[in-house]
């Protein structure tokens, strides 16, 4: 079975799978497309490792993973994950922060967006039917671990088309949740 390095949250072992997301793949997520074009397309935004002890979609199982989001911004918006709701919407999830600083951005079915601060040791429960995305607001990589049901799945389309109702922006050096459509001073 794999092992966890608790200094970083990283997973080790032959069973571990990995994926990486670059700015080039995700630049349309960001408010400031023009600034995204000023950074190299191969700029790493985040990497994910996970252990799936059973196949995706199996009812009653659990997956374990970790995510590392690089520090940086596109314009005033922090590097962040794509964000998703679970394809089986009634599936919940745990996150816990290992290192770095950031925010868990949550949006329920009422489309109200809220944040929970992430710092080492913070433990986050993502309720069912809740879109979730993480932003790195710090100067070093943000590392967190996650545990979720093996039949949760991913719905990215809803985020790509409608997005969250608010974005986390650097406003005078302070991470601030700014409603879509409101003045951005
Ligand atoms: C899976 C869990 C995480 C994310 C990862 C990347 O349910 O929430 O492992 O997949 O943090 O985020 P995203 O939005 O690109 O899947
Ligand atoms: Zn999830």
């Amino acid at each position: 079975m794999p092992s966890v390095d608790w200094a970083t949250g990283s997973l080790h072992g032959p069973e571990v799978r990995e994926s990486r997301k670059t700015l080039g793949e995700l630049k349309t997520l960001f408010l400031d497309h023009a600034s995204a074009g000023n950074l190299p397309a191969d700029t790493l935004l985040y990497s994910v490792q996970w252990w799936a002890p059973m196949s995706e979609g199996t009812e009653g199982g659990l997956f374990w993973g970790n995510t590392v989001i690089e520090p940086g911004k596109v314009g005033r918006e922090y590097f962040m994950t794509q964000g998703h709701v679970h394809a089986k919407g009634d599936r919940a999830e745990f996150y816990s922060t290992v290192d770095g600083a950031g925010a868990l951005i949550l949006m329920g079915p009422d489309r109200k967006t809220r944040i929970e601060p992430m710092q080492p040791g913070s433990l986050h429960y993502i309720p069912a039917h809740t879109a979730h995305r993480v932003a790195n607001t710090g100067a070093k990589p943000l590392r967190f671990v996650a545990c979720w049901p093996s039949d949760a799945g991913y719905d990215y389309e809803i985020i790509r088309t409608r997005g969250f109702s608010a974005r986390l922006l650097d406003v005078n050096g302070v991470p601030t949740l700014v409603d879509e459509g409101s003045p951005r001073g």
Side-chain angles (χ1 to χ4, degrees):
M1 70 190 80
S3 61
V4 179
D5 174 356
W6 284 111
T8 60
S10 64
L11 282 168
H12 300 273
E15 308 90 338
V16 177
R17 296 188 234 168
E18 301 188 349
S19 76
R20 292 156 56 89
K21 292 286 181 201
T22 61
L23 184 59
E25 293 169 90
L26 295 183
K27 66 180 174 199
T28 57
L29 282 187
F30 292 91
L31 178 65
D32 190 347
H33 291 189
S35 290
N38 295 334
L39 293 164
D42 64 357
T43 301
L44 179 64
L45 290 181
Y46 61 96
S47 55
V48 183
Q49 293 183 306
W50 70 100
W51 177 35
M54 66 288 304
S55 55
E56 175 102 40
T58 304
E59 202 174 317
L62 291 171
F63 290 168
W64 178 271
N66 77 282
T67 301
V68 181
I69 308 177
E70 300 301 319
K73 283 183 286 192
V74 175
R76 292 190 296 144
E77 193 167 20
Y78 303 97
F79 281 8
M80 60 184 178
T81 59
Q82 189 171 357
H84 60 271
V85 291
H86 292 146
K88 276 202 178 162
D90 62 355
R91 297 316 198 240
E93 181 164 9
F94 278 122
Y95 282 0
S96 187
T97 314
V98 176
D99 196 27
L104 172 59
I105 304 169
L106 298 167
M107 182 178 72
D110 57 4
R111 289 195 55 81
K112 285 196 177 132
T113 299
R114 64 188 191 279
I115 57 170
E116 293 184 358
M118 295 177 77
Q119 65 275 324
S122 64
L123 179 59
H124 307 271
Y125 178 68
I126 300 164
H129 303 292
T130 301
H132 41 290
R133 162 182 283 168
V134 174
N136 183 352
T137 60
K140 63 176 180 173
L142 172 61
R143 303 173 188 276
F144 64 94
V145 295
C147 184
W148 67 99
S150 47
D151 63 349
Y154 304 86
D155 182 350
Y156 292 109
E157 191 56 28
I158 186 111
I159 301 302
R160 270 196 292 264
T161 52
R162 292 199 71 193
F164 284 69
S165 63
R167 291 177 179 275
L168 195 66
L169 302 180
D170 178 339
V171 178
N172 301 320
V174 180
T176 306
L177 202 55
V178 178
D179 282 343
E180 285 280 57
S182 70
R184 292 190 181 89

